[in-house]
Amino acid sequence: MIKKAFIFDLDGVIVDTAKYHFLAWQKLARTLDIDFTEKENEQLKGVSRVRSLEKILSWGNKTISENKFKELMGKKNDDYLNHISIMNENEILPDVNRVLDFLIEKQQPIALGSASKNARTILERVNLKNKFDAIVDGNDVSKAKPDPEVFLIGAELLKIKPEYCVVFEDSVAGVEAANVANMISIGIGSEENLGHANFVFRDFTEISNEFLIELIKK
Ligand code: BG6
Ligand code: MG
């Protein structure tokens, strides 16, 4: 059997935690009197926690002390952790399990490539951790997406060359990272946001087993 490696982003691809990140950032932005809508949120998808707060502050033309910055990051994460503490398997997005199980059946190595430092906690909550051969998250990287580091480490752990890796991503920054890494990028979301991906699907229900076979053979 030919082998590809399949690298999955987490937030917005496997689980709909993007909505919890949004709610937590929006609450924080409001306390700072900064406008924060879905439009701004789109630019934070895939972006690290530090970089996200920097962006929000710059949109509001605000400068704050280093201590205040740390305090706000802590607040945002506490709020986010509250949201994810009640997650369970029901929050796995449609057909994600079907795709994972099909790839496992076809003996394709699978990795997680997420910017989140909470990724392992979430995978445990939704009971998916044992389906991954490797996990790379926000604790393992020094450079955030769109830098390809997270995916390149994933490829290395799975011992597959980047050009034989397939990345599933919902963020603009993540698709860019996969492209820079010379991997096959699959955008999960809208063509409008993710037109720079090699393929775009609204969600996994649109990804057939036949398409996965084609990817493996490619
Ligand atoms: C990404 C999310 O997966 O992880 C971003 O798309 C988030 O919205 C980033 O900021 C960092 O996550 P965390 O859990 O470490 O704050
Ligand atoms: Mg994402």
Side-chain angles (χ1 to χ4, degrees):
M1 175 63 82
I2 314 161
K3 273 204 180 130
K4 284 273 161 43
F6 289 82
I7 308 180
F8 290 74
D9 173 45
L10 177 71
D11 297 314
V13 168
I14 291 177
V15 281
D16 190 13
T17 35
K19 68 182 179 214
Y20 300 139
H21 280 296
F22 173 61
L23 290 173
W25 282 129
Q26 192 179 47
K27 186 168 163 192
L28 192 106
R30 279 197 185 132
T31 65
L32 294 167
D33 232 359
I34 299 173
D35 242 15
F36 188 80
T37 65
E38 298 271 2
K39 191 169 155 259
E40 282 83 28
N41 188 55
E42 204 54 49
Q43 296 179 54
L44 299 188
K45 286 187 179 169
V47 175
S48 71
R49 201 181 309 164
V50 173
R51 188 73 198 109
S52 297
L53 183 52
E54 284 171 358
K55 279 183 174 244
I56 292 171
L57 292 170
S58 81
W59 293 330
N61 273 322
K62 301 248 187 239
T63 41
I64 56 172
S65 69
E66 212 172 295
N67 278 345
K68 182 82 185 160
F69 192 96
K70 279 196 189 129
E71 182 195 319
L72 293 181
M73 291 241 299
K75 269 195 179 154
K76 187 271 172 178
N77 198 46
D78 288 346
D79 198 28
Y80 180 68
L81 287 176
N82 261 334
H83 285 292
I84 63 172
S85 67
I86 48 165
M87 282 181 81
N88 61 34
E89 289 161 45
N90 295 331
E91 297 206 38
I92 299 171
L93 286 164
D95 273 15
V96 166
N97 264 313
R98 194 244 319 147
V99 169
L100 285 171
D101 291 342
F102 185 77
L103 294 172
I104 290 168
E105 186 199 313
K106 298 288 171 211
Q107 295 171 19
Q108 302 300 304
I110 298 172
L112 189 87
S114 168
S116 172
K117 295 189 169 174
N118 297 302
R120 284 177 168 84
T121 310
I122 294 172
L123 281 187
E124 270 161 22
R125 284 224 64 90
V126 300
N127 212 4
L128 277 184
K129 209 171 166 197
N130 60 359
K131 294 200 178 172
F132 290 85
D133 301 300
I135 294 175
V136 191
D137 71 13
N139 300 296
D140 307 312
V141 295
S142 56
K143 288 169 260 166
K145 299 170 188 177
D147 189 282
E149 186 185 16
V150 63
F151 296 139
L152 291 173
I153 295 177
E156 210 175 292
L157 290 174
L158 297 176
K159 300 191 172 54
I160 302 281
K161 284 185 186 157
E163 58 267 42
Y164 298 121
C165 292
V166 178
V167 173
F168 296 101
E169 252 298 343
D170 71 317
S171 72
V172 174
V175 166
E176 200 178 318
N179 290 345
V180 172
N182 201 19
M183 298 179 176
I184 299 167
S185 55
I186 306 204
I188 302 292
S190 71
E191 181 71 49
E192 188 188 331
N193 289 329
L194 306 175
H196 55 317
N198 295 123
F199 303 91
V200 182
F201 297 97
R202 176 130 307 271
D203 58 33
F204 282 94
T205 65
E206 290 186 353
I207 300 182
S208 66
N209 291 351
E210 290 69 36
F211 175 75
L212 295 172
I213 294 275
E214 285 309 310
L215 283 178
I216 294 170
K217 285 199 216 139
K218 231 176 197 289

